[in-house]
Amino acid sequence: MNDANLDAIVELEERLVRAMRTSDVPVLDELLADDLLFTNHQGMVVTKQEDLEVHRSGLLKLESLDASDRSVRLLGNVAVVAVRVQLAGRYGNDSFEGTFRYTRVWALLGARWRIVAAHASVVAA
């Protein structure tokens, strides 16, 4: 396992969490591949632009996002991350709170790691 790549993925995951918490669209734009495939917890496939727009518009407001239990697997120029996330916030006028599991696939595209695919699932209470 390449320790430098592992350290890079862990740091990028932390940047992603910070950017999600604050809806930092420029950082999210940098971390997400243009052809991102994200399947959300409702089973809908969301594009990068759709994901960025909910942050940009203020439709999604995260009040808390606590990541834990992260596992990283490096496979050459690809990394697979599984993480448990406790989320709370608002989507439009609706409040939400819950525990989710995310799986993210990072790929080294040129000289940068970017998320190319992700999937979210609700963790049953």
Side-chain angles (χ1 to χ4, degrees):
M1 188 178 302
N2 183 326
D3 288 341
N5 283 341
L6 180 61
D7 291 345
I9 295 299
V10 169
E11 173 55 32
L12 288 167
E13 281 283 320
E14 291 300 321
R15 271 188 85 201
L16 177 67
V17 166
R18 288 189 303 269
M20 290 173 65
R21 276 188 193 129
T22 61
S23 289
D24 188 335
V25 173
V27 171
L28 293 170
D29 185 42
E30 177 186 328
L31 297 176
L32 303 176
D34 289 341
D35 57 354
L36 170 74
L37 290 174
F38 171 47
T39 305
N40 70 17
H41 67 287
Q42 296 175 318
M44 295 185 299
V45 177
V46 178
T47 67
K48 174 182 178 174
Q49 291 310 315
E50 290 167 333
D51 190 48
L52 293 178
E53 186 54 33
V54 297
H55 287 279
R56 186 180 293 115
S57 68
L59 186 63
L60 175 65
K61 292 282 190 190
L62 295 178
E63 296 162 6
S64 68
L65 187 162
D66 298 310
S68 63
D69 194 22
R70 181 186 301 130
S71 299
V72 180
R73 302 286 183 268
L74 288 174
L75 306 163
N77 290 337
V78 172
V80 179
V81 175
V83 63
R84 183 181 179 104
V85 177
Q86 183 68 38
L87 283 175
R90 300 188 69 72
Y91 188 88
N93 294 324
D94 299 321
S95 295
F96 65 86
E97 183 176 357
T99 303
F100 300 83
R101 275 277 183 191
Y102 285 83
T103 302
R104 287 188 275 270
V105 179
W106 293 82
L108 190 57
L109 303 175
R112 291 181 139 170
W113 288 97
R114 293 185 184 246
I115 299 168
V116 296
H119 184 273
S121 297
V122 175
V123 175

